[in-house]
Amino acid sequence: MAFKVLFSLLAVLLCANAVFGVKVISKAQWGGRTAKSRSNLASGLSYAVIHHTAGAYCSTQAACSQQMRNMQSYHMDSLGWSDIGYNFLIGGDGQVYEGRGWSTMGAHATNWNSKSIGISFMGNYNNDKSTAAQIAAAKALLADAVSRGQIKSNYILYGHRQVGSTECPGNNLYAEIKKWSNYRA
Ligand SMILES: [Zn+2]
């Protein structure tokens, strides 16, 4: 009986999650700056591109928020971009961090920015290994993108190395995303 009640409660929580989407640490929450400008990103896209930042790994919200601020400053001040390059990022703490968000075109993969959403794992996945929590967060984000109509349900998932000359998203993370259902060789 207790199990039955617990199961019902779990079902309700899962439904609630499906309705409200994945929890995202907003730019305001991580202390980000306002973008200098923005270009609209179309919806109904056919692609999602997975990256790694090739920078430091972080495993707490405080450390990942610091990483986000450092990266945004690098992208805006040193590279001269309008904002942090990615649409969303996945921290080593297993949380999703808002980059440019759903409807703003990213600067993450040359020639692919207008056709895809760019999701980047914080860390260098030639050495770091993605955790179960990170993988679950990324998959939930992609499911959310489908439910919002931002990407098509039959979207194609690529690692950055498939669309550009780069080792991104690192060998370990690339081996992981090869197992995801929308990945295409
Ligand atoms: Zn990349």
Side-chain angles (χ1 to χ4, degrees), residues 155-159 162 174 177-185:
Y155 72 93
I156 292 172
L157 182 82
Y158 283 141
Q162 293 176 277
Y174 187 58
I177 67 167
K178 279 180 162 179
K179 297 185 274 184
W180 299 7
S181 54
N182 288 68
Y183 169 84
R184 292 293 176 277

Side-chain angles (χ1 to χ4, degrees), residues 50-52 86 108 160 166 168-169:
I50 299 293
H51 302 265
H52 71 163
Y86 309 106
H108 58 90
H160 188 186
T166 172
C168 181

Side-chain angles (χ1 to χ4, degrees), residues 116-131:
S116 65
I117 57 166
I119 301 170
S120 189
F121 283 57
M122 290 187 231
N124 187 321
Y125 293 81
N126 280 322
N127 308 311
D128 297 321
K129 291 196 170 69
S130 55
T131 65

Side-chain angles (χ1 to χ4, degrees), residues 96-144:
V96 178
Y97 290 77
E98 180 186 31
R100 297 193 185 191
W102 294 116
S103 57
T104 299
M105 194 189 303
H108 58 90
T110 305
N111 298 327
W112 289 80
N113 294 319
S114 64
K115 298 188 277 194
S116 65
I117 57 166
I119 301 170
S120 189
F121 283 57
M122 290 187 231
N124 187 321
Y125 293 81
N126 280 322
N127 308 311
D128 297 321
K129 291 196 170 69
S130 55
T131 65
Q134 283 182 296
I135 294 162
K139 287 182 174 177
L141 182 66
L142 287 162
D144 199 353

